[in-house]
Amino acid sequence: MTEAELRKFPQHVSGQAFTTLKCEGPSYLPWLEKRLKSNGGLVLTRRIGDLWELCPSFDLVVNCSGLGSRKLVGDMEVFPVRGQVLKVQAPWLTHFIRDGNGMTYIYPGTSSVTLGGTRQQGDWNLSPDADTSRDILSRCCALEPSLQGARAIRAMVGLRPCRPGVRLQKEHLHQADWTLPVVHHYGHGSGGISVHWGSALEAARLVRECVGVLRTPTPNSKL
């Protein structure tokens, strides 16, 4: 940032200003679902407690259950990182601001401005905390004083499905005479939207490998 740009942030001695893309989940995810359906995909809503409940109705499973993988496949390495944000009306803001460690940020969107945030590892609480909301607003107002005039403030909480490393791999489950191919694809934490396209391409490659095996005839043994 230039000296003139930095004057807006007197508590900082350096910074970067750039133009980038912003992806908004509430609009983007329905678009992805529409894209899936237009290519012949069928969306079913169902609660399961074991992947074997999907067999033999389905030949292959892609496990994108996130935190649910703790119970679904017994992966205790996946854990929540709680995030709380505020949604406010401040239409005069057109530029995003993110503090150095990423804990404080201001992201203008199409219908509201998102103020954040928190990274509370191992916290499963989905209820907004009033003290946390006040802290977020205070930190964001320090970066952008005009937010003191923001209206329609509401708090939202989400759990990021974190893991020491993304689980993106094949596994073949066996039960009696059945084999169920599974492609695990979860544990992206807060980087899910950032890396989702490339990660999905790799998951699709693993799926094609599994499909290729399923389509290969099993030779009959002869005595």
Side-chain angles (χ1 to χ4, degrees):
M1 298 179 70
T2 64
E3 289 186 9
E5 291 171 324
L6 277 172
R7 289 193 191 105
K8 186 177 179 181
F9 309 101
Q11 68 273 42
H12 293 77
V13 296
S14 65
Q16 295 177 326
F18 55 91
T19 300
T20 185
L21 299 174
K22 181 176 184 292
C23 185
E24 297 190 12
S27 300
Y28 184 57
L29 293 178
W31 177 83
L32 285 177
E33 183 176 333
K34 181 179 179 181
R35 188 172 180 266
L36 172 69
K37 291 178 177 179
S38 68
N39 282 278
L42 177 65
V43 177
L44 303 174
T45 301
R46 173 178 166 188
R47 181 182 291 272
I48 64 169
D50 191 297
L51 293 181
W52 283 107
E53 295 177 31
L54 301 173
C55 186
S57 300
F58 300 93
D59 300 311
L60 185 149
V61 174
V62 181
N63 173 27
C64 303
S65 58
L67 290 172
S69 290
R70 289 174 65 91
K71 292 184 178 180
L72 193 59
V73 296
D75 185 355
M76 304 310 291
E77 289 193 79
V78 63
F79 59 90
V81 173
R82 182 180 182 274
Q84 180 168 323
V85 300
L86 302 179
K87 296 287 187 177
V88 306
Q89 293 300 315
W92 58 88
L93 293 182
T94 57
H95 294 85
F96 77 90
I97 305 172
R98 181 180 184 274
D99 206 354
N101 62 6
M103 288 291 291
T104 304
Y105 50 84
I106 302 166
Y107 292 144
T110 55
S111 60
S112 63
V113 179
T114 302
L115 310 181
T118 66
R119 294 179 191 154
Q120 296 162 291
Q121 184 171 320
D123 191 337
W124 292 86
N125 184 14
L126 288 170
S127 299
D129 179 79
D131 289 338
T132 300
S133 293
R134 285 190 286 269
D135 177 63
I136 291 172
L137 185 59
S138 175
R139 284 187 277 126
C140 288
C141 284
L143 281 177
E144 178 52 69
S146 71
L147 282 170
Q148 295 174 8
R151 295 291 179 265
I153 299 175
R154 61 188 177 97
M156 297 181 67
V157 175
L159 303 179
R160 306 175 181 96
C162 291
R163 201 172 178 276
V166 174
R167 190 176 186 190
L168 182 50
Q169 62 183 170
K170 294 184 297 183
E171 181 181 16
H172 287 82
L173 304 181
H174 301 280
Q175 187 177 88
D177 295 331
W178 292 96
T179 298
L180 180 63
V182 178
V183 173
H184 297 287
H185 189 205
Y186 62 88
H188 297 72
S190 61
I193 291 293
S194 300
V195 303
H196 78 285
W197 202 271
S199 186
L201 289 174
E202 176 61 13
R205 185 188 67 80
L206 297 177
V207 167
R208 286 193 295 271
E209 289 183 1
C210 292
V211 170
V213 172
L214 290 172
R215 288 177 174 172
T216 302
T218 303
N220 294 323
S221 59
K222 296 182 180 180
L223 297 178

